[in-house]
Amino acid sequence: QQQVKQSPQSLIVQKGGISIINCAYENTAFDYFPWYQQFPGKGPALLIAIRPDVSEKKEGRFTISFNKSAKQFSLHIMDSQPGDSATYFCAASKTGAQKLVFGQGTRLTINP
Amino acid sequence: EPEVTQTPSHQVTQMGQEVILRCVPISNHLYFYWYRQILGQKVEFLVSFYNNEISEKSEIFDDQFSVERPDGSNFTLKIRSTKLEDSAMYFCASGRELGSQPQHFGDGTRLSIL
């Protein structure tokens, strides 16, 4: 019940296209859903996060869509650029808890 | 922008030896964490630390592991009697508030056990 399932494992998108990464969770107590971006040799960096009281959050080219009834959330990267090539992790946590539970990660490659 | 810094960036150790990984969290943060990432796998929670004591730990964090905040700025992870399977990236993170809030990660220490 603590798992967060992420798909796909890898994704190749053409420059200018839309990248979509999906995550699903089981624990309805989760109330914080961040996305992290990780470049090789670097730590995860917070990209954008959402709480379940909203269905969508947009920051620049990055949008999180959240479906509470389906227990799913997704990251959309609009106008994808080669510099977006990285590994993306979804995560979840709950108020009062300490830990982030991470998904398996998606390796995104944007072809020029 | 304030950063979490970790040293060393790469540590090579013989199996059975003790290793200490060091972290300097962001200065006004109160919650400190260690995570582990085995090559090609997801990031896994090890332990959280608040008010000079462990507040939560995973089943991975057994008696082989310990954490300490020896002074006002450093946060360390000690692994005693290292095993081959301890080889991984170890990330330190810190946060200002509990639970649903951003955790900021360092760039990690790559631990290689020979």
Side-chain angles (χ1 to χ4, degrees):
Chain A
Q1 231 201 358
Q2 286 292 319
Q3 281 191 339
V4 176
K5 295 183 180 178
Q6 183 173 347
S7 62
Q9 278 191 309
S10 63
L11 179 63
I12 300 174
V13 175
Q14 291 298 117
K15 180 182 174 182
I18 302 173
S19 305
I20 302 174
I21 305 170
N22 301 297
C23 283
Y25 63 97
E26 296 179 354
N27 189 344
T28 55
F30 286 148
D31 58 3
Y32 175 69
F33 303 91
W35 283 89
Y36 282 83
Q37 179 188 56
Q38 185 181 33
F39 293 106
K42 293 289 191 179
L46 180 67
L47 192 61
I48 186 173
I50 197 169
R51 299 180 192 278
D53 52 344
V54 296
S55 60
E56 186 175 281
K57 183 174 182 180
K58 184 176 181 180
E59 290 184 1
R61 296 185 294 109
F62 301 92
T63 300
I64 299 179
S65 296
F66 186 82
N67 186 329
K68 188 174 181 178
S69 60
K71 292 184 285 186
Q72 295 175 347
F73 58 109
S74 59
L75 176 69
H76 292 63
I77 305 175
M78 312 300 288
D79 186 26
S80 299
Q81 299 296 313
D84 297 330
S85 297
T87 298
Y88 292 80
F89 290 95
C90 64
S93 74
K94 55 184 179 179
T95 300
Q98 306 286 318
K99 65 183 179 183
L100 287 169
V101 179
F102 282 85
Q104 290 291 119
T106 297
R107 179 172 291 184
L108 175 64
T109 302
I110 307 300
N111 283 336
Chain B
E1 185 173 320
E3 293 182 338
V4 176
T5 56
Q6 291 186 244
T7 55
S9 56
H10 190 192
Q11 174 79 45
V12 181
T13 302
Q14 292 289 329
M15 185 173 60
Q17 296 296 305
E18 176 181 286
V19 64
I20 298 175
L21 310 182
R22 303 181 190 279
C23 169
V24 179
I26 295 173
S27 62
N28 63 348
H29 284 186
L30 302 177
Y31 296 87
F32 314 114
Y33 310 85
W34 285 101
Y35 289 82
R36 180 180 80 177
Q37 184 179 33
I38 295 172
L39 184 63
Q41 298 186 23
K42 67 178 178 181
V43 179
E44 298 175 292
F45 170 79
L46 291 177
V47 66
S48 60
F49 191 87
Y50 169 72
N51 199 25
N52 283 320
E53 61 183 23
I54 291 174
S55 47
E56 187 176 353
K57 61 182 180 179
S58 72
E59 61 271 16
I60 302 170
F61 193 88
D62 59 21
D63 292 343
Q64 184 193 6
F65 296 87
S66 62
V67 290
E68 192 178 33
R69 188 156 163 83
D71 53 43
S73 60
N74 291 286
F75 179 51
T76 62
L77 174 69
K78 182 188 290 185
I79 309 175
R80 288 180 284 274
S81 188
T82 50
K83 299 175 281 193
L84 293 176
E85 54 265 37
D86 295 328
S87 296
M89 284 291 289
Y90 287 81
F91 293 106
C92 174
S94 69
R96 196 166 53 190
E97 299 170 12
L98 181 65
S100 305
Q101 42 73 33
Q103 293 180 19
H104 300 267
F105 284 75
D107 285 339
T109 293
R110 180 178 299 281
L111 178 62
S112 300
I113 307 300
L114 304 180

